[in-house]
Amino acid sequence: MNIALDDLSRWPDIEGPDLVAVDAADRLLLDESAGARAALADGSLVVIDDAYGALTLGSAAAGMRGIRVHQDALSGERALTANALRAGLDTTFTSHERDADLVRDARVILLRLPRALRALDDIAGLIAAYAHPDVVVYAGGRIKHMTPAMNDVLRGRFARVDVTHARQKSRVLIARGPHDGADPRPEAATVDGLEVRAFGGVFAGASIDIGTRLLLAHLPEPADGAIDFACGTGVVAAAWATRHPSVRVVATDRSAVAVASARATVEANGVADRVEVFRDDLLGSRPDASASLIALNPPFHTAGAITEGIAPRMFADAARVLRPGGELWTVWNSALQYRPALERLVGPTRQVARDRKFTVTASTRR
């Protein structure tokens, strides 16, 4: 079966120069690994952080079956599912958590390189601990997002790391001879009285970014529960639950590593019994008009691209979930000027706090 990779869909529907379904790094990864994949038995191939399905479906179209896939973003999982259905390849792979079963006894692994070195080390350590001793890892990316330190991280877990020639501003690192494997462990820190836990790749790591600090300083008391939307490490949810012992909080994020970090954070603060943490695309699993208070620090980048297209979608979904009169508390980089969008999509918006860089607003659902 042939599949035209350029026909893969964008997901979510956000435009940007780097937000493409398949790029030169995907093509180079498939080309460099073609010989190794051709010799594999079913179930021996693993694909990690395939943005929209190009690596998985390209391999499936070449005959691979039983492909194990992990994608950090839930939106990526849904894109892969949609694209696989369109291509008639929906039975060729299974989605997995980032754990031992994902990579156990794998012979070939295709990996889109993460930006964060700690994220790369978490993944490399997991592979080295559980994959087959003869595993070959093809780790690729766009050269503009790669650094020599990535080679060093892989050399800390593999005996040999080779570097391919560049092609169309992309490159692949090929790692063999796994050693010193380890399960990922979160970084831990105590910040402003909160225990913060962070697996590699989560925003701000085991710290609290300055925007969230400003939001934490002004968080209102929830009347009947609250939602920490795009929770990251879960510090807002943990703060609400520790400050108000009778309050129950929901924390959501589309990122698997963020959800794992948030769960570790709320456990470390002793509030896991009152904070429900789960993975969601926006607030898709929450009913309409079901919440009275939501806190949000919206991201302004995706897939390595800076875009202002994410936040308005988040504002609109928060408005859907809020009851009339409910409030969305948002912290944002003042230069982004989100207030008109908040006024339009949620309702009347007042400034709560502002410092040199960030603004906190409260928008009332009309």
Side-chain angles (χ1 to χ4, degrees), residues 37-49:
R37 288 184 290 113
L40 287 180
D42 288 350
S44 300
L45 175 66
V46 171
V47 178
I48 299 176
D49 281 341

Side-chain angles (χ1 to χ4, degrees), residues 225-239:
I227 298 175
D228 181 3
F229 184 12
C231 64
T233 57
V235 294
V236 169

Side-chain angles (χ1 to χ4, degrees), residues 31-340:
D31 289 347
E32 290 289 342
S33 65
R37 288 184 290 113
L40 287 180
D42 288 350
S44 300
L45 175 66
V46 171
V47 178
I48 299 176
D49 281 341
D50 189 5
Y52 300 97
L55 298 176
T56 304
L57 300 183
S59 298
M64 290 302 306
R65 296 294 181 268
I67 304 168
R68 286 172 276 171
V69 183
H70 172 75
Q71 295 159 282
D72 182 64
L74 180 56
S75 53
E77 279 189 17
R78 292 178 174 175
L80 172 56
T81 298
N83 285 318
L85 284 167
R86 290 173 57 207
L89 295 170
D90 50 300
T91 62
T92 61
F93 66 92
T94 52
S95 292
H96 292 258
E97 300 290 332
R98 195 185 70 176
D99 57 17
D101 288 338
L102 170 69
V103 297
R104 195 181 307 278
D105 297 323
R107 296 297 190 110
V108 171
I109 295 177
L110 306 185
L111 166 67
R112 281 301 299 249
L113 284 163
R115 295 280 199 97
L117 296 179
R118 281 202 65 244
L120 178 58
D121 190 55
D122 281 355
I123 295 166
L126 188 69
I127 294 169
Y130 297 104
H132 193 277
D134 294 332
V135 68
V136 183
V137 180
Y138 296 85
R142 303 289 282 166
I143 290 174
K144 64 182 178 181
H145 300 319
M146 297 173 68
T147 67
M150 292 176 172
N151 304 40
D152 297 333
V153 169
L154 289 175
R155 289 190 182 104
R157 302 290 188 179
F158 295 88
R160 177 178 173 181
V161 178
D162 297 310
V163 183
T164 69
H165 292 296
R167 191 181 80 188
Q168 294 181 306
K169 300 180 181 180
S170 301
R171 198 184 294 278
V172 173
L173 310 179
I174 304 175
R176 298 177 174 88
H179 61 80
D180 295 319
D183 287 292
R185 294 176 60 87
E187 183 183 3
T190 303
V191 186
D192 297 339
L194 283 175
E195 295 297 321
V196 184
R197 300 293 183 267
F199 288 95
V202 71
F203 175 67
S207 65
I208 301 177
D209 67 280
I210 57 176
T212 299
R213 282 179 185 270
L214 185 63
L215 178 62
L216 288 172
H218 298 277
L219 275 180
E221 179 176 355
D224 57 353
I227 298 175
D228 181 3
F229 184 12
C231 64
T233 57
V235 294
V236 169
W240 258 331
T242 55
R243 293 174 186 177
H244 309 291
S246 64
V247 167
R248 302 192 69 84
V249 183
V250 168
T252 77
D253 204 292
R254 72 173 188 168
S255 162
V257 73
V259 166
S261 300
R263 285 177 177 153
T265 292
V266 299
E267 288 171 5
N269 286 279
V271 294
D273 60 328
R274 291 187 292 111
V275 180
E276 179 187 6
V277 183
F278 63 94
R279 193 165 169 234
D280 204 356
D281 190 14
L282 300 177
L283 293 172
S285 66
R286 310 306 298 178
D288 294 356
S290 61
S292 59
L293 182 60
I294 298 173
L296 171 63
N297 182 355
F300 55 91
H301 58 83
T302 188
I306 295 174
T307 175
E308 295 183 28
I310 304 171
R313 297 177 70 238
M314 301 181 86
F315 301 158
D317 211 40
R320 177 188 63 80
V321 172
L322 283 170
R323 303 182 185 105
E327 290 189 333
L328 171 64
W329 283 59
T330 310
V331 61
W332 39 279
N333 189 308
S334 301
L336 295 173
Q337 300 181 353
Y338 282 149
R339 187 164 179 169

